[in-house]
């Protein structure tokens, strides 16, 4: 298992912009996930470990894009019909076996290799709907452009061309591209193995009897789903009591068998918050105070060289800090090139005031504005612990650091929940 340097998460504690924090950490983190080689069928959603180079051109030969007739363009009449004898046939996987003389046509089906010729090659395909077959001849109408309906060799990929970069998260079209380029196996990163832990004597398993002062654990299923959507393999280590020595052992055991450890809550300095002391018994812990809302305090540390992420306890804050902060860092550790979640502009249907130098996200629902666009309406209750603000809205509006007030009718950037892995 690869490990990180002791100071990779070191931070002085000043309030940091989110983009500055990610830029700083991206310089320090290195991929820790090992490389394995797997068949294409097992590579969907995995991370490419090295650049992918096409072994062959795609398509490998000029071929017909339609059912029709291969002809020499410069032998067609510009003013009237041209009558050509049809001397043979070519289909996909079954090329015409001879050279095609000038003044002739060869019947070609979609995907058939273009015939080779004498003194140059046939360069145009007349679609069958635009021709008239007359016995052993075809009558071609004037006006077709040279090269029409012909797909050129290598117009999709050139042999030796780098078609996918290392760090690419492989989607279905990427696998098709790899197969077309001649690859049956790919070198990919093994998914990060992440230990997920909830802490707190007040936190209980859903379905159990809830004592006075207790709450059910909502963060663990939330974070487990988000980790899975980020391509991680999750080990659910359950709810652990807030006892320093016990937590220190749990963290040490988790670090031996995993590539990262993630908790939520319990990282403040209260009398019953023992996560910080437990981590420091095994390694080091640094607090990154981010200029964001909801969120702000995030704990990053090392347990025997294995990265530790301590997220806020409120579910909305835990979700946001994971999506916009922890996920990009986990992707770096897994060898991926982090990608910004998909977003698009919408019109605000509400006013909102915020502090300067802080990035904020507002939970909103979208409504059609009657002009072909979308209007965002803020959810009525916006506390960081209000889970219904996530289930009854469509996504988040992001308000940048330099914005002080958003007014109705102004444009804001909207992130749908599915782009965040929810």
């Amino acid at each position: 298992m690869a490990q990180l340097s002791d100071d990779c998460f070191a931070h002085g504690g000043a309030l940091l912009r989110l983009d500055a924090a990610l830029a700083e950490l991206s310089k320090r983190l290195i991929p820790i996930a090992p490389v394995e080689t797997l068949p294409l069928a097992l590579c969907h959603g995995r991370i490419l470990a090295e650049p992918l180079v096409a072994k062959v051109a795609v398509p490998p030969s000029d071929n017909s894009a339609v059912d029709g007739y291969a002809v020499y363009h410069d032998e067609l009449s510009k003013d009237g019909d041209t009558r050509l004898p049809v001397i043979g046939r070519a289909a996909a996987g079954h090329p015409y076996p001879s050279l095609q003389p000038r003044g002739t046509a060869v019947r070609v089906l979609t995907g058939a290799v273009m015939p080779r010729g004498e003194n140059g090659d046939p360069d145009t395909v007349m679609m069958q709907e635009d021709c008239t077959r007359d016995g052993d001849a075809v009558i071609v109408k004037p006006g077709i452009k040279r090269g029409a309906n012909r797909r050129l060799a290598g117009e999709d990929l050139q042999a030796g061309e780098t078609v996918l970069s290392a760090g690419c998260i492989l989607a279905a079209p990427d696998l098709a591209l790899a197969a077309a380029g001649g690859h049956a196996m790919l070198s990919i990163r093994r998914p990060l193995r992440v230990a997920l832990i909830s802490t707190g004597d007040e936190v209980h398993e859903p379905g159990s009897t809830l004592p006075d002062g207790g709450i059910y654990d909502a963060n663990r299923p939330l974070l487990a789903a988000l980790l899975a959507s980020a391509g991680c393999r999750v080990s659910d280590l359950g709810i652990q009591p807030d006892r320093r020595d016990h937590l220190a052992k749990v963290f040490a055991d988790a670090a031996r068998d995993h590539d990262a450890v993630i908790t939520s809550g319990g990282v403040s300095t209260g009398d019953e918050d023992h996560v910080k002391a437990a981590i420091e018994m095994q390694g080091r812990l640094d607090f990154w105070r981010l200029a964001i809302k909801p969120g702000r305090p995030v704990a990053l540390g090392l347990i025997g060289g294995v990265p530790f992420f301590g997220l806020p306890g409120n579910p909305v804050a835990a979700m946001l800090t994971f999506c916009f902060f922890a996920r990009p860092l986990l992707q770096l550790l897994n060898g991926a090139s982090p990608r910004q979640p998909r977003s698009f502009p919408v019109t605000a249907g509400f006013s909102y005031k915020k502090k300067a130098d802080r990035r904020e996200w507002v939970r909103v629902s979208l409504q059609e504005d009657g002009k072909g666009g979308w209007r965002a309406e803020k959810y009525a209750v916006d506390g960081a612990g209000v889970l219904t603000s996530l289930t009854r809205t469509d996504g988040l509006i992001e308000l940048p650091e330099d914005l002080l007030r958003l007014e109705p009718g102004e444009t804001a950037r909207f992130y749908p929940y599915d782009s965040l892995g929810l």
Side-chain angles (χ1 to χ4, degrees):
M1 180 189 302
Q3 293 186 336
L4 300 177
S5 62
D6 287 342
D7 62 349
C8 70
F9 286 142
H11 176 53
L15 203 63
L16 272 181
R17 286 174 56 124
L18 178 64
D19 51 1
L22 291 174
E24 184 174 341
L25 286 166
S26 67
K27 298 175 185 177
R28 306 182 189 181
L29 299 184
I30 59 172
I32 61 175
V35 176
E36 57 187 358
T37 301
L38 290 178
L40 283 179
L42 301 179
C43 293
H44 184 247
R46 302 289 292 272
I47 298 165
L48 191 63
E50 58 188 35
L52 191 72
V53 176
K55 296 181 178 181
V56 298
V58 180
S61 305
D62 290 5
N63 67 84
S64 177
V66 298
D67 293 344
Y69 297 88
V71 299
Y72 292 87
H73 184 269
D74 57 11
E75 297 202 351
L76 301 179
S77 171
K78 297 180 181 179
D79 303 319
D81 294 345
T82 302
R83 183 184 181 88
L84 299 170
V86 179
I87 62 170
R89 180 179 184 274
H94 300 279
Y96 181 65
S98 305
L99 296 178
Q100 179 179 342
R102 287 185 170 272
T104 65
V106 169
R107 169 74 165 149
V108 290
L109 302 181
T110 302
V113 172
M114 290 289 289
R116 302 303 300 272
E118 298 175 346
N119 189 23
D121 295 329
D123 55 6
T124 303
V125 177
M126 195 72 180
M127 193 160 55
Q128 62 184 15
E129 291 86 348
D130 298 329
C131 301
T132 301
R133 187 68 183 259
D134 184 14
D136 292 334
V138 63
I139 299 172
V140 178
K141 297 179 180 179
I144 192 170
K145 293 182 179 179
R146 185 184 300 275
N149 302 315
R150 178 187 62 164
R151 294 186 290 220
L152 298 176
E155 71 177 18
D156 194 358
L157 300 177
Q158 295 287 335
E161 176 186 354
T162 298
V163 296
L164 293 172
S165 300
C168 170
I169 301 173
L170 294 164
D174 299 321
L175 300 182
L177 193 66
H183 292 270
M185 309 282 289
L186 296 180
S187 294
I188 57 173
R189 295 280 181 180
R190 192 203 67 201
L192 284 182
R193 300 168 301 177
V194 179
L196 178 62
I197 302 169
S198 287
T199 66
D201 293 338
E202 80 283 11
V203 182
H204 297 268
E205 289 287 355
S208 64
T209 300
L210 195 64
D212 289 342
I215 59 171
Y216 287 129
D217 186 4
N219 283 354
R220 218 164 78 250
L222 171 70
L223 292 172
L226 288 169
L227 284 163
S229 75
C232 299
R233 289 179 180 166
V234 182
S235 297
D236 185 348
L237 302 190
I239 302 168
Q240 301 297 332
D242 263 337
R243 296 196 298 272
R244 186 189 63 178
D245 292 345
H246 174 79
L247 288 175
K249 184 179 185 306
V250 169
F251 293 154
D253 291 344
R256 276 193 292 271
D257 299 324
H258 296 86
D259 303 304
V261 178
I262 289 185
T263 67
S264 61
V267 291
S268 66
T269 56
D271 292 344
E272 297 300 324
D273 292 321
H274 299 300
V275 172
K276 181 177 186 293
I279 295 294
E280 289 176 337
M281 290 175 67
Q282 306 292 337
R284 65 173 293 163
L285 188 70
D286 293 285
F287 284 92
W288 288 67
R289 297 178 63 245
L290 304 176
I292 62 174
K293 182 183 177 183
R296 195 168 75 169
V298 178
L300 298 177
L302 291 176
I303 310 168
V306 173
F308 168 85
F309 296 79
L311 304 182
N314 283 320
V316 177
M319 184 272 287
L320 284 166
T321 51
F322 179 89
C323 292
F324 290 103
F325 186 68
R327 185 202 294 271
L329 301 183
L330 289 168
Q331 288 177 328
L332 286 170
L333 292 171
N334 210 13
S337 301
R339 296 184 296 188
Q340 184 73 5
R342 175 176 55 88
S343 63
F344 54 88
V346 297
T347 300
F350 61 96
S351 61
Y352 189 87
K353 184 179 180 180
K354 62 176 283 292
K355 291 183 179 181
D357 300 322
R358 184 170 72 185
R359 186 176 305 191
E360 297 192 17
W361 294 280
V362 181
R363 285 144 276 172
V364 299
S365 298
L366 292 188
Q367 300 177 5
E368 293 188 49
D369 63 6
K371 302 176 183 177
W374 295 96
R375 183 180 70 255
E377 296 293 348
K378 178 180 174 296
Y379 191 69
V381 185
D382 58 3
V386 181
L387 280 168
T388 53
S389 68
L390 298 177
T391 62
R392 297 174 183 175
T393 56
D394 299 310
L396 308 170
I397 274 184
E398 183 177 72
L399 305 177
E401 289 83 355
D402 57 355
L403 181 71
L404 296 179
R405 189 173 184 87
L406 180 70
E407 298 291 354
E410 293 182 339
T411 299
R413 183 147 295 276
F414 172 77
Y415 290 87
Y417 286 137
D418 61 0
S419 75
L420 302 174
L422 273 73

